[in-house]
Amino acid sequence: MDLDGRVALVTGAARSIGEACARKLAADGARVAVLDIDAEGAERVASSIDGLAVQVDVTDPASVDAAVATVVERLGGLDIAVNNAGVTSEGALTGDLDEETWRAILSVNLDGVFHCLRAEIGVMRERGGGSIVNMASILSAAAFRNHVAYTTSKHGGVGLTRGAAVDHAADGIRVNAVAPGFIRTPLIEVLSPEEIDAVALTHPLGRLGEVDEVAELVAWLASDAASFATGSVYNVDGGYLAV
Ligand SMILES: NC(=O)c1ccc[n+]([C@@H]2O[C@H](COP(=O)([O-])OP(=O)(O)OC[C@H]3O[C@@H](n4cnc5c(N)ncnc54)[C@H](O)[C@@H]3O)[C@@H](O)[C@H]2O)c1
């Protein structure tokens, strides 16, 4: 993709899928801000791509506003945003799920995406446009036993994507979501190795996805090649949802 001269930010970019997105956007020519609650990890990634590390807690609107302001001030604007930070938890049936876990997941995966969208849109509408990609999941469209909070948060992320896309199309801002299948990262280690092996086989391609396979799709949506794409969810799931 040709992202020369663009400024991008990626949340949750200190490792895994977010890191792969930051590396891909930088390789395609963008100047990239690496945002994460893990300041050390963000610095490690940023320094390896000549990017900018910014610590942020996406659950805190003031922290998000400050981080986006820092990106604009240090990199001169904002054209692309990838709202990727997300968490999961140990599994529990809906009837047994405690309040603390429910809130912790919703506050990062749902509230966090809203805080980021609001701050990013505030900058992009002034500049006449931009492209935003939210990290959804196959669990935006289907359930997974024992993970109702995560499933709910990812379903909600699609609502945020569609709502923001409709609200801000006239501002030249495209908003889409990428929905990965199970990707080989520490996030899925809440499952046992046996469960991970079994879940890999539920993808028709017969394996887990790799972080770079997600980043490719994100970079396409971020670029002008996707100029007519907005308000949609794009699966990169080894066929998981086709079954
Ligand atoms: N791994 C998968 O199988 C998979 C599948 C579909 C969707 N996803 C989604 O992709 C995204 C990235 O997942 P991953 O597998 O790379 O996870 P990961 O746990 O490896 O990385 C998540 C990153 O988000 C950061 N983060 C967590 N809370 C934060 C907060 N409050 N503020 C800022 N940063 C925060 C973490 O520090 C970490 O660097 C998540 O939204 C996840 O739901 C993952």
Side-chain angles (χ1 to χ4, degrees), residues 11-19 35-38 56-60 83-88 107-109 135-139 150 154 178-188 211:
T11 71
R15 69 181 194 188
S16 310
I17 295 173
E19 175 177 357
L35 274 59
D36 207 289
I37 200 165
D38 169 8
V56 70
D57 178 355
V58 298
T59 67
D60 174 2
N83 298 320
N84 163 80
V87 294
T88 189
S107 66
V108 178
N109 296 7
M135 198 53 67
S137 164
I138 46 175
L139 304 187
Y150 184 88
K154 291 295 173 181
V178 164
F182 283 80
I183 307 297
R184 190 188 309 281
T185 77
L187 185 97
I188 65 170
V211 293

Side-chain angles (χ1 to χ4, degrees), residues 149-232:
Y150 184 88
T151 299
T152 302
S153 71
K154 291 295 173 181
H155 275 62
V158 172
L160 279 170
T161 301
R162 293 188 177 130
V166 168
D167 283 350
H168 294 287
D171 295 316
I173 302 170
R174 295 185 297 103
V175 188
N176 291 288
V178 164
F182 283 80
I183 307 297
R184 190 188 309 281
T185 77
L187 185 97
I188 65 170
E189 288 168 10
V190 294
L191 303 177
S192 69
E194 296 72 32
E195 287 172 315
I196 292 176
D197 286 347
V199 95
L201 294 176
T202 62
H203 299 67
L205 288 183
R207 62 173 176 86
L208 300 177
E210 302 295 337
V211 293
D212 292 337
E213 295 176 307
V214 180
E216 289 289 335
L217 180 54
V218 168
W220 178 74
L221 283 167
S223 78
D224 290 345
S227 52
F228 200 51
T230 198
S232 288

